[in-house]
Amino acid sequence: MGDPVLQLVRLDEQRWPTVDPFLNCVHHVDAYPEGNEAMGPEASLGGREIGSDFAGIDGWRMYHGDVVPGFPAHPHRGFETVTYVRTGLIDHADSLGATARYGRGDVQWLTAGRGIQHAEMFPLVERDAPNPLELFQIWVNLPASHKLVEPTFTMFADRNVPRVTIGAGAGKAHTTVTVIAGSFDGTEALAPPPDSWAADPGSDLAIWHLVLDPGASVTLPAARSRHTVRTLYVFDHGSLTIAGHPDAVGFDTAVAVHPESPLELHSDDGTEVLVLAGVPIAEPVASYGPFVMNTSDEIAATLDEYQRTRFGGWPWPSDAPVHPRSEGRFARHADGRFEDLETGRVQTG
């Protein structure tokens, strides 16, 4: 094989280009200051468009929040959200009755299916220190046969998310691979929700996060299917050398690559890479904001149903609920099952 690179695309600050079966990939990085009594920013909100603050003044955003940053209750239908939080916390609540505080390496996988509402707020729990936040939210499409499945809420605690270290040893540069979905060199990710495209054996869906030390190398395994589409997002800093490509790839670049053969990556100065891969669903996509269906008629029907039913309503007293500052990382499922994400303790409802 010649040059393994098919295309290079410059990344913008937050929203990254994706290809089928992925719909969207957003990289949130916010340098939040100390928190106030209400777990909002201990800083003036003057000059911000409260309710829709995306400008990044002083390196952080309120998004759609007005007291606590984040995204108050909003609906989804027809796809899934995979939220991987590296730094900071998210307070989750949804119309199923599930709630959580997660982050610091945790992953939430939400199958919206026939319809769900959820809130994603970013509580600034530290009063005397900054509250940096970094997360990826990846939208994965659902095939037509699964667009209207029952919604499900799934949490992967950081302590259980598989990680592979390549080149470990005293004085050796190494690469750490976080396996969020799929399989990496024999290490399998935790099981995705049962109705996910990732649960289909033919999907070859993978989400990997690679951290390369300066001087580190790693070889991406060949795809299981010749139909797999694979994109590398080089971000944060540094550069990446892709075997067979004549030039190093700088950060803030999306790289579409051939997936058929193992692919060696190397970084002289250290960098980070998000890898999204999968077999395309190859169906028509009709979308309107938070709704993704196959036809415009289905979108119209979705809008009508949401106006009538609110997808089952909203069981919480606020559209932007947050948990007490002292609360640790946890997940309470709609069936009452409680997971302590820090210790692994589980209690049935």
Side-chain angles (χ1 to χ4, degrees), residues 30-45 58 60 62 67-69 122-133 325:
D30 288 282
Y32 290 117
E34 294 85 352
N36 61 23
E37 184 64 29
M39 290 183 287
E42 186 66 82
S44 170
L45 300 183
D58 297 330
W60 53 272
M62 290 295 290
V67 176
V68 175
F122 308 148
L124 309 185
V125 298
E126 299 295 337
R127 293 295 305 270
D128 301 315
N131 289 270
L133 177 77
R325 173 175 265 110

Side-chain angles (χ1 to χ4, degrees), residues 92-138:
H92 166 92
D94 66 39
S95 53
L96 301 176
T99 184
R101 170 170 285 173
Y102 71 100
R104 301 171 184 168
D106 301 327
V107 176
Q108 183 200 84
W109 199 312
L110 188 71
T111 305
R114 64 180 176 82
I116 193 171
Q117 292 189 71
H118 73 152
E120 304 159 288
M121 306 308 297
F122 308 148
L124 309 185
V125 298
E126 299 295 337
R127 293 295 305 270
D128 301 315
N131 289 270
L133 177 77
E134 182 186 4
L135 67 91
F136 295 95
Q137 185 165 97
I138 301 157

Side-chain angles (χ1 to χ4, degrees), residues 1-308:
M1 185 176 70
D3 191 340
V5 172
L6 299 171
Q7 186 179 16
L8 298 170
V9 177
R10 189 71 176 173
L11 298 177
D12 63 20
E13 186 176 6
Q14 283 193 313
R15 194 175 300 276
W16 296 350
T18 56
V19 293
D20 188 2
F22 300 97
L23 298 163
N24 199 12
C25 179
V26 180
H27 185 209
H28 290 286
V29 180
D30 288 282
Y32 290 117
E34 294 85 352
N36 61 23
E37 184 64 29
M39 290 183 287
E42 186 66 82
S44 170
L45 300 183
R48 297 177 181 271
E49 187 178 352
I50 298 304
S52 187
D53 174 30
F54 287 80
I57 298 170
D58 297 330
W60 53 272
R61 305 155 187 85
M62 290 295 290
Y63 298 104
H64 295 310
D66 56 12
V67 176
V68 175
F71 297 86
H74 57 281
H76 292 301
R77 170 179 269 190
F79 65 99
E80 303 183 281
T81 62
V82 180
T83 307
Y84 167 43
V85 186
R86 300 188 64 200
T87 306
L89 296 168
I90 296 180
D91 278 0
H92 166 92
D94 66 39
S95 53
L96 301 176
T99 184
R101 170 170 285 173
Y102 71 100
R104 301 171 184 168
D106 301 327
V107 176
Q108 183 200 84
W109 199 312
L110 188 71
T111 305
R114 64 180 176 82
I116 193 171
Q117 292 189 71
H118 73 152
E120 304 159 288
M121 306 308 297
F122 308 148
L124 309 185
V125 298
E126 299 295 337
R127 293 295 305 270
D128 301 315
N131 289 270
L133 177 77
E134 182 186 4
L135 67 91
F136 295 95
Q137 185 165 97
I138 301 157
W139 290 14
V140 184
N141 202 6
L142 289 168
S145 59
H146 287 61
K147 289 286 189 189
L148 300 181
V149 297
E150 291 294 319
T152 57
F153 162 83
T154 302
M155 284 298 315
F156 299 154
D158 169 70
R159 66 204 312 273
N160 297 325
V161 175
R163 291 179 174 86
V164 181
T165 301
I166 311 296
K172 293 184 178 179
H174 67 272
T175 299
T176 302
V177 182
T178 300
V179 186
I180 298 166
S183 173
F184 186 93
D185 201 23
T187 296
E188 296 285 341
L190 299 173
D195 292 309
S196 173
W197 180 236
D200 187 313
S203 74
D204 199 23
L205 193 137
I207 303 174
W208 304 326
H209 171 218
L210 284 54
V211 179
L212 288 82
D213 284 347
S217 298
V218 62
T219 299
L220 302 187
R224 294 176 176 174
S225 168
R226 65 184 180 87
H227 301 294
T228 298
V229 177
R230 183 178 285 175
T231 305
L232 281 55
Y233 301 88
V234 185
F235 68 97
D236 189 38
H237 63 275
S239 61
L240 187 72
T241 300
I242 300 172
H245 186 66
D247 302 309
V249 176
F251 68 94
D252 287 346
T253 305
V255 188
V257 297
H258 283 288
E260 295 93 341
S261 302
L263 188 62
E264 185 179 359
L265 309 178
H266 176 81
S267 182
D268 286 334
D269 42 4
T271 194
E272 300 192 36
V273 183
L274 181 73
V275 180
L276 300 183
V279 172
I281 294 172
E283 294 177 350
V285 173
S287 62
Y288 183 85
F291 308 132
V292 181
M293 303 300 290
N294 295 104
T295 69
S296 57
D297 286 346
E298 290 170 342
I299 290 292
T302 294
L303 290 167
D304 177 70
E305 183 177 342
Y306 179 64
Q307 290 297 322
R308 289 186 293 104

